[in-house]
Amino acid sequence: MKTDTISDMLTRIRNGNLVGHKVVKIDSTRMTYHITRLLRTEGFISQYETVVKEGRRYIFIYLKYSINPTRPLIRGLKRVSKPGLRVYVSNNQIPIVLGGQGIAILSTSQGIITNIQAKELGIGGELLCYVW
């Protein structure tokens, strides 16, 4: 049993990008679904779909590549808050990822949002990961 579904999700996307896969399959939870939806909204992935197979729910993430098919659009993923060490930030401590080139994903009272949305709303939360 996986205890950290977010780390598993990020690792599967990272590995899929490294070997040039078009699609990666991850286990579907509420958290991974909302993160996937956010990645789609921000343009890091082309699309996703939720599928039920053998009684289990999965998300198929379609990775996005630049014009050169060997260069993935997602250049890096980093998990920040982990089950053993949670990292919380206030609204004035929200980081800027690569000078605005990437995003930080936060879990807040308003749901799963990016660092830009959190700054606009003036709220902090748990810093889940960086994507650039």
Side-chain angles (χ1 to χ4, degrees), residues 54-67:
E54 301 162 2
R56 296 197 58 190
R57 192 174 282 260
Y58 296 101
I59 300 173
F60 286 95
I61 297 176
Y62 295 87
L63 301 175
K64 206 175 198 181
Y65 291 89
S66 63
I67 295 170

Side-chain angles (χ1 to χ4, degrees), residues 1-38:
M1 181 176 159
K2 295 181 235 18
T3 58
D4 191 4
T5 56
I6 299 171
S7 287
D8 182 60
M9 171 188 179
L10 298 177
T11 301
R12 287 174 188 256
I13 292 172
R14 186 181 305 113
N15 290 343
N17 276 335
L18 286 174
V19 296
H21 285 297
K22 302 277 188 225
V23 180
V24 292
K25 179 177 83 168
I26 62 169
D27 291 331
S28 178
T29 62
R30 270 190 218 156
M31 187 71 75
T32 57
Y33 176 76
H34 289 296
I35 292 172
T36 303
R37 192 174 67 184
L38 191 63

Side-chain angles (χ1 to χ4, degrees), residues 37 50 79 95 98 103 105 110 123-125 132:
R37 192 174 67 184
T50 306
R79 178 80 158 116
L98 285 179
I103 60 169
I105 299 176
Q110 303 293 315
I123 58 175
W132 66 92

Side-chain angles (χ1 to χ4, degrees), residues 98-110:
L98 285 179
Q101 299 275 328
I103 60 169
I105 299 176
L106 288 91
S107 175
T108 67
S109 58
Q110 303 293 315

